[in-house]
Amino acid sequence: MYILRDFAYTGSFGIWYYLIACSIITLVILMLLVKMLAGYRFITAGRDQIIVKLPLRGYSKTYPVSQILAWEEEIVKANKKEFRQVTIAFSDHQSISVSNHEHEAYQDLVAYLAKKAGKQKVKK
């Protein structure tokens, strides 16, 4: 926005400078956006399975509850707030992490794991 404002009001540089600068900044912003969206995922748990979908990558994997090797819930207290994260490791050496700040159904997932895969929980 600053570059476009500078071009509109003062025009202190040549037009090629503004075209190249705007193009580079646009490419950097698009690359950051794609990187952020590449990590966006949907996690569904139910019917004795966990489904992990990464829509931008076109990846979808269904894990039966029997393929859970271990899961652990970590609790960290910072700034008088409680941060919780559950990490699930599967038998194909993949893992997923879900936190209570990023996911609305975090408590439901932890309850589901405790019910269906209670033996795989890592004891501290």
Side-chain angles (χ1 to χ4, degrees):
M1 293 301 286
Y2 175 76
I3 291 173
L4 294 175
R5 184 189 161 284
D6 184 59
F7 175 70
Y9 291 119
T10 61
S12 57
F13 299 104
I15 186 122
W16 292 107
Y17 171 79
Y18 294 108
L19 290 175
I20 291 171
C22 286
S23 300
I24 290 173
I25 290 172
T26 302
L27 286 175
V28 169
I29 290 172
L30 285 175
M31 288 189 322
L32 289 172
L33 181 64
V34 168
K35 185 177 185 306
M36 285 176 28
L37 290 177
Y40 194 73
R41 63 184 177 203
F42 294 101
I43 300 170
T44 308
R47 298 183 184 167
D48 292 331
Q49 61 186 6
I50 296 176
I51 302 169
V52 180
K53 294 180 184 177
L54 289 101
L56 194 63
R57 294 182 186 175
Y59 175 81
S60 179
K61 181 79 176 185
T62 302
Y63 296 101
V65 174
S66 61
Q67 285 190 359
I68 296 176
L69 290 179
W71 65 276
E72 177 183 25
E73 183 178 22
E74 300 173 54
I75 302 171
V76 177
K77 291 187 179 181
N79 295 333
K80 299 179 183 178
K81 292 185 180 180
E82 191 172 78
F83 177 77
R84 294 175 172 255
Q85 178 176 339
V86 66
T87 304
I88 308 168
F90 297 103
S91 60
D92 64 349
H93 305 291
Q94 297 291 325
S95 66
I96 58 170
S97 295
V98 179
S99 69
N100 64 337
H101 289 291
E102 297 172 350
H103 299 87
E104 295 176 357
Y106 174 81
Q107 292 297 334
D108 297 333
L109 177 63
V110 172
Y112 179 79
L113 288 172
K115 179 181 175 185
K116 296 291 184 175
K119 294 178 183 177
Q120 287 87 355
K121 184 175 182 178
V122 175
K123 306 288 184 206
K124 291 185 179 182

